[in-house]
Amino acid sequence: MENFFVSEDVWEAVEKGVPDHPEAATQAAQKQHKENNKKDAIALHYIKQGVSKPIYPRIFNAKSAKEAWDVLKEEFQGNEKVVSIKLQSMWRDFDNLSMKESECIRDFFSKVAEIVNQIKSHGEAIQDKKVVEKILRSLPPKFDHCVAAIEEAKDLSKMTMFELMGSLQAHEQRINRSSTQPTQPVEQAFQSKLNISEGKNNKSQQEQEQRKGSHQGNGHMQEDIKIRTMVTTNGKAVEQNGSKI
């Protein structure tokens, strides 16, 4: 709204109001006063048009743009004491900012920008250098060498938050590429080792079964020979080839 009022050349009427009509006014002063009143009326019209229906009754009786604007400021921003309390809370949130390991640079910067804009909207000044330094302190350990390189190569007093975001996003992309590239070869290596191990196990199991079958075959052969040689006490064969005769 402030930018809109400036573009319409009525911001001074909203911020400072219209000066009282001078008692002994020249013709030029009267003309200027009339022009100021016109700007004030235009600004008040914009304010009343710009608010929603539930808010409109609060400024219905306002006679000037400044009066309506002050009502809205106190309603939604609060008086000086309320603003001071809100700023303390915002600065505390700013000081406690810390990027999580699972968080991406873009999301973290959006969170920082939101708090910074809230601080500025409540009339508090905050330099880009302070924001940049806070961001560099709030990054997880995987960005340590990138932070060191930025602090050595860049002048932080001339660096903007969005310039820093571009540098960190490029580094984040390199980290993501390096963390995903080895994944496939490692998986293949483990799979190959697993296949070799399974092959050895299968081969060993087959050899065991073959040795077991060989032992069983030898046992049956010995038993068959024993049966073939069995005779009774009078010399008559009782069994031959496993069958009675």
Side-chain angles (χ1 to χ4, degrees), residues 92-243:
R92 183 169 56 251
D93 293 340
F94 179 80
D95 293 335
N96 293 333
L97 280 171
S98 180
M99 180 177 170
K100 300 176 182 178
E101 286 286 347
S102 59
E103 196 172 14
C104 69
I105 288 294
R106 183 176 294 276
D107 291 342
F108 178 63
F109 267 73
S110 296
K111 186 164 57 178
V112 175
E114 182 180 358
I115 296 177
V116 171
N117 289 335
Q118 287 179 356
I119 292 173
K120 290 181 177 180
S121 68
H122 283 74
E124 194 84 357
I126 179 170
Q127 297 180 349
D128 287 342
K129 180 183 177 182
K130 186 171 185 177
V131 178
V132 168
E133 290 175 344
K134 173 58 182 175
I135 291 173
L136 293 176
R137 293 194 306 268
S138 304
L139 298 175
K142 64 182 179 181
F143 289 95
D144 284 350
H145 58 287
C146 180
V147 171
I150 291 175
E151 290 176 341
E152 289 292 331
K154 301 286 187 179
D155 185 358
L156 299 184
S157 63
K158 298 179 181 179
M159 193 175 195
T160 65
M161 185 177 72
F162 298 102
E163 183 181 355
L164 176 62
M165 182 176 70
S167 299
L168 293 176
Q169 279 184 320
H171 181 70
E172 184 181 49
Q173 291 174 358
R174 288 194 294 270
I175 292 176
N176 293 337
R177 285 199 302 267
S178 62
S179 62
T180 55
Q181 284 177 353
T183 303
Q184 187 65 19
V186 169
E187 291 179 352
Q188 291 178 352
F190 277 113
Q191 187 62 40
S192 299
K193 186 174 181 180
L194 181 61
N195 293 337
I196 293 172
S197 177
E198 290 179 351
K200 289 182 178 179
N201 292 337
N202 292 336
K203 184 176 180 181
S204 177
Q205 185 177 1
Q206 291 176 358
E207 290 177 352
Q208 291 177 1
E209 291 178 354
Q210 289 176 358
R211 286 197 296 269
K212 183 177 179 181
S214 177
H215 290 320
Q216 290 177 351
N218 292 335
H220 289 309
M221 185 179 294
Q222 293 176 358
E223 184 69 21
D224 188 52
I225 293 172
K226 183 177 179 182
I227 292 174
R228 288 174 180 273
T229 56
M230 288 179 60
V231 295
T232 60
T233 55
N234 59 2
K236 184 179 181 180
V238 177
E239 293 183 357
Q240 185 174 7
N241 294 329
S243 302

Side-chain angles (χ1 to χ4, degrees), residues 4-66:
F4 174 74
F5 289 142
V6 171
S7 68
E8 295 294 319
D9 194 26
V10 295
W11 172 240
E12 187 174 356
V14 175
E15 185 182 27
K16 299 179 180 179
V18 178
D20 293 335
H21 191 280
E23 294 181 359
T26 63
Q27 186 175 359
Q30 291 178 355
K31 184 178 180 180
Q32 183 62 45
H33 183 71
K34 184 178 181 180
E35 182 68 21
N36 291 338
N37 285 334
K38 181 179 179 181
K39 290 182 178 181
D40 182 66
I42 292 173
L44 180 60
H45 174 70
Y46 286 148
I47 292 174
K48 289 185 175 181
Q49 275 195 329
V51 298
S52 60
K53 289 182 179 181
I55 299 174
Y56 178 77
R58 305 175 193 181
I59 60 173
F60 176 76
N61 293 322
K63 301 300 181 182
S64 67
K66 186 178 186 307

